[in-house]
């Protein structure tokens, strides 16, 4: 795949250009400098030739939170791996010292460079743009990411550069048997700030792809990262750390939390990363409740395992860790766990070993006959209580399991219960039925979702 990197100092509109080329709001756009810190990649939607665009953290400005070196490092990697570089400047602010230095650096790159004069919202702004030609990349293309001006010219120039590259690569691989990995899992990696999510991604990738820092809130975008394992191309979704809305001190943090919640919804399975050394907090429980509410499969990652009672035998440590999560995260009792140290690279192989078992078990669905026999036995063994308000007892008429596996690689069945009156179903009895299903047909990590329906629809109103 051809890679196109978008580089430039902070707040010149790189993310806005990225979003327009991708035809999606992927990168966070905000006036605050330094919002984009990780490399974010997406297919370009505007070119005929398939290519990937990469948004990078801003280069060269002195950020107030200590990320300058790391953001610059991220941009350097993008430039080294790109086939084409889009160098973005703010035409309204004129040529800066930072851009002069960056131009000197970019001239050493072996790949072609297109200069983009962003924020040229109207023709009058284009008159005074000659000073940018001093950087050695020609007159540049005036564009407005906000209004879409100049993007047809930009796409034409991109095509002129990448079409020959694509043709050359196609010719080289024509006689070779190309390995095409199957589409795998969409894996959302979620947790409170500083739990070790980005460290876990880096440990899986064995690559410093995402910025890792002890400062909470480093990752602000939900970053989709491809990862091939066992001949399948998985997607790791590294999300911003979720924390209580009242503690979010900027609009960027609120937007990042919303992005993380959307990432949970679009995932096949969630890895809930817990800082085992710090223990389970109220925020950990809040995130777990979001996963439960969205009916998502879940694998709990107990991170910082190396710091958890290191002097104890491993069996005792595992017993204490399991007791901790089963007590504080009792509502995620269906979620298995893996104890790892992302920073030290310990037991990382357990993650995909567990995911493989979870996925295999999820394919074995219960038959309608077996489900009805199981539930009828459960009703006979422990009949439901008479409802205090309606003075009646719920009766099961029929049950079936519906699995919609078209949109997810790990299907979550919905157990539809047809009863005399769904208002008679009580929460504790629904939990009892859930436990009975788990005893007979256990699928690790898979939530049990009931849909209770009345025989007479008017009773449900």
């Amino acid at each position: 795949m051809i890679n196109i990197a978008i580089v430039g100092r902070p707040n010149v509109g790189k993310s806005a250009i990225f979003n327009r080329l991708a035809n999606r709001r992927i990168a966070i756009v905000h006036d605050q400098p330094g919002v984009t810190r990780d490399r974010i990649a997406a297919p370009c939607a505007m070119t005929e030739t398939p290519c990937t665009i990469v948004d990078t953290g801003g280069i060269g400005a002195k950020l107030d939170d200590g990320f300058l070196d790391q953001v610059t490092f991220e941009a350097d990697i993008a430039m080294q791996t790109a086939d084409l570089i889009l160098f973005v400047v703010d035409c309204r602010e004129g040529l800066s010292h930072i851009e002069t230095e960056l131009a000197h650096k970019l001239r050493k790159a072996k790949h072609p460079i297109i200069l983009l004069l962003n924020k040229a919202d109207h023709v009058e702004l284009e008159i005074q743009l000659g000073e940018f030609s001093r950087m050695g990349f020609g007159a540049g293309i005036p564009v407005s990411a906000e209004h879409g001006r100049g993007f047809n010219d930009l796409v034409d120039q991109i095509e002129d550069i990448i079409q020959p590259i694509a043709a050359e690569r196609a010719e080289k691989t024509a006689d070779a048997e190309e390995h095409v990995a199957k589409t795998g899992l969409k894996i959302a990696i979620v947790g409170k700030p500083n739990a070790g999510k980005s460290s876990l991604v880096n440990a899986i990738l064995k690559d410093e792809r995402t910025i890792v820092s002890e400062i909470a809130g480093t990752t602000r975008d939900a970053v989709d990262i491809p990862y091939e394992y066992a001949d399948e191309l998985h997607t790791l979704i590294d999300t911003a750390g979720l924390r209580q809305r009242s503690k979010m001190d900027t609009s960027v943090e609120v937007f990042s939390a919303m992005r993380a919640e959307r990432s949970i919804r679009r995932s096949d399975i969630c890895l809930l990363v817990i800082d085992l050394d710090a223990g389970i907090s109220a925020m950990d429980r809040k995130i777990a409740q979001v996963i439960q509410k969205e009916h998502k499969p879940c694998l709990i990652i107990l991170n910082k395992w190396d710091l958890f009672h290191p002097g104890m035998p491993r069996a005792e440590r595992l017993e204490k860790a399991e007791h901790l999560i089963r007590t504080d995260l009792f509502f995620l009792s269906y979620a298995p766990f893996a104890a790892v140290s992302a920073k030290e690279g310990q037991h990382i192989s357990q993650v995909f070993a567990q995911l493989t078992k979870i996925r295999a078990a999820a394919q074995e669905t219960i038959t309608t006959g077996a489900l009805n026999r199981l539930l009828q036995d459960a009703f006979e063994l422990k009949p439901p209580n008479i409802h205090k308000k309606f003075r009646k007892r719920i009766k099961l008429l029929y049950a079936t399991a519906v699995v919609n596996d078209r949109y997810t690689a790990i299907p979550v069945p919905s157990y539809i219960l047809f009863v005399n009156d769904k208002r008679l179903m009580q929460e504790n009895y629904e939990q009892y039925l859930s436990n009975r299903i788990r005893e007979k047909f256990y699928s690790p990590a898979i939530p049990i979702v009931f849909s209770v329906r009345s025989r007479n629809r008017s009773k449900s109103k």
Side-chain angles (χ1 to χ4, degrees), residues 386-393 421 423-424 459:
I386 295 176
H387 197 284
K388 292 181 180 179
K389 179 181 177 181
F390 299 105
R391 305 284 184 180
K392 291 182 180 180
R393 197 190 309 269
D421 187 345
R423 297 174 298 176
L424 304 175
K459 293 180 180 180

Side-chain angles (χ1 to χ4, degrees), residues 190-197 273-275 284 303-304:
V190 298
K192 67 181 181 182
N194 214 28
K197 300 180 296 298
V273 183
I274 301 289
D275 182 344
D284 291 321
N303 193 28
K304 306 185 184 180

Side-chain angles (χ1 to χ4, degrees), residues 43-348:
C44 182
M46 297 187 70
T47 58
E48 293 183 7
T49 306
C51 61
T52 298
I53 48 176
V54 183
D55 189 15
T56 64
I59 299 172
K62 185 177 181 181
L63 304 182
D64 58 3
D65 51 10
F67 290 100
L68 173 58
D69 291 341
Q70 289 172 301
V71 170
T72 303
F73 176 66
E74 288 292 316
D76 284 342
I77 295 175
M79 288 189 290
Q80 291 168 14
T81 57
D83 300 290
L84 169 63
I85 296 170
L86 304 184
F87 179 17
V88 183
V89 299
D90 184 340
C91 73
R92 296 183 302 189
E93 295 187 3
L95 184 62
S96 70
H97 171 72
I98 296 171
E99 282 151 348
T100 302
E101 293 296 321
L102 180 55
H104 178 71
K105 186 175 186 178
L106 289 176
R107 282 195 294 268
K108 298 178 182 178
K110 299 179 181 178
H111 305 301
I113 296 169
I114 297 176
L115 176 64
L116 296 187
L117 312 175
N118 192 29
K119 305 185 183 181
D121 299 337
H122 46 81
V123 178
E124 288 76 9
L125 282 173
E126 299 180 16
I127 299 174
Q128 304 295 329
L129 299 184
E131 62 174 331
F132 292 100
S133 62
R134 300 204 306 264
M135 293 190 292
F137 305 115
I141 302 176
V143 299
S144 171
E146 183 176 356
H147 302 292
R149 288 191 71 241
F151 273 76
N152 289 336
D153 292 339
L154 171 59
V155 171
D156 288 343
Q157 194 159 336
I158 289 175
E159 287 284 4
D160 289 343
I161 294 172
I162 67 175
Q163 279 183 356
I165 298 173
E168 182 181 354
R169 290 183 183 175
E171 186 177 348
K172 288 181 179 178
T173 58
D175 299 328
E177 182 178 349
E178 185 177 359
H179 168 71
V180 179
K182 296 183 294 182
T183 301
L185 302 173
K186 296 189 291 291
I187 306 165
I189 301 173
V190 298
K192 67 181 181 182
N194 214 28
K197 300 180 296 298
S198 293
S199 294
L200 178 65
V201 172
N202 289 340
I204 291 172
L205 297 173
K206 297 180 181 178
D207 172 33
E208 296 297 321
R209 174 133 189 182
T210 58
I211 295 179
V212 179
S213 171
E214 293 180 359
I215 302 175
T218 303
T219 301
R220 287 173 169 172
D221 280 302
V223 185
D224 285 11
I225 304 172
Y227 174 67
E228 188 171 331
Y229 176 85
D231 293 332
E232 286 190 311
L233 188 61
H234 305 283
T235 301
L236 305 178
I237 309 171
D238 184 17
T239 62
L242 294 171
R243 56 179 174 175
Q244 295 177 2
R245 291 289 174 96
S246 60
K247 294 183 179 179
M248 296 180 186
D249 53 5
T250 68
S251 59
V252 173
E253 287 195 13
V254 173
F255 190 78
S256 297
M258 293 169 59
R259 178 70 53 80
E261 290 169 3
R262 286 199 296 270
S263 297
I264 291 174
R265 288 195 290 272
R266 68 185 174 93
S267 68
D268 296 314
I269 188 168
C270 297
L271 303 188
L272 174 57
V273 183
I274 301 289
D275 182 344
L276 189 56
D277 183 48
I280 295 175
S281 67
M283 198 61 231
D284 291 321
R285 290 189 288 272
K286 176 71 174 177
I287 298 167
Q289 287 168 356
V290 175
I291 296 171
Q292 182 196 39
K293 177 185 175 183
E294 297 295 335
H295 305 311
K296 288 298 179 180
C298 180
L299 172 63
I300 299 173
I301 304 297
L302 300 177
N303 193 28
K304 306 185 184 180
W305 170 249
D306 54 316
L307 304 177
F308 184 71
H309 300 290
M312 281 187 178
R314 177 175 171 79
E316 290 184 28
R317 294 167 69 199
L318 286 171
E319 186 177 341
K320 284 183 74 71
E322 184 168 13
H323 176 74
L324 179 67
I325 61 172
R326 297 310 173 210
T327 301
D328 289 355
L329 300 176
F330 60 90
F331 49 89
L332 281 185
S333 59
Y334 60 88
F337 69 92
V340 307
S341 172
K343 184 177 180 180
E344 302 298 328
Q346 294 177 3
H347 313 300
I348 301 300

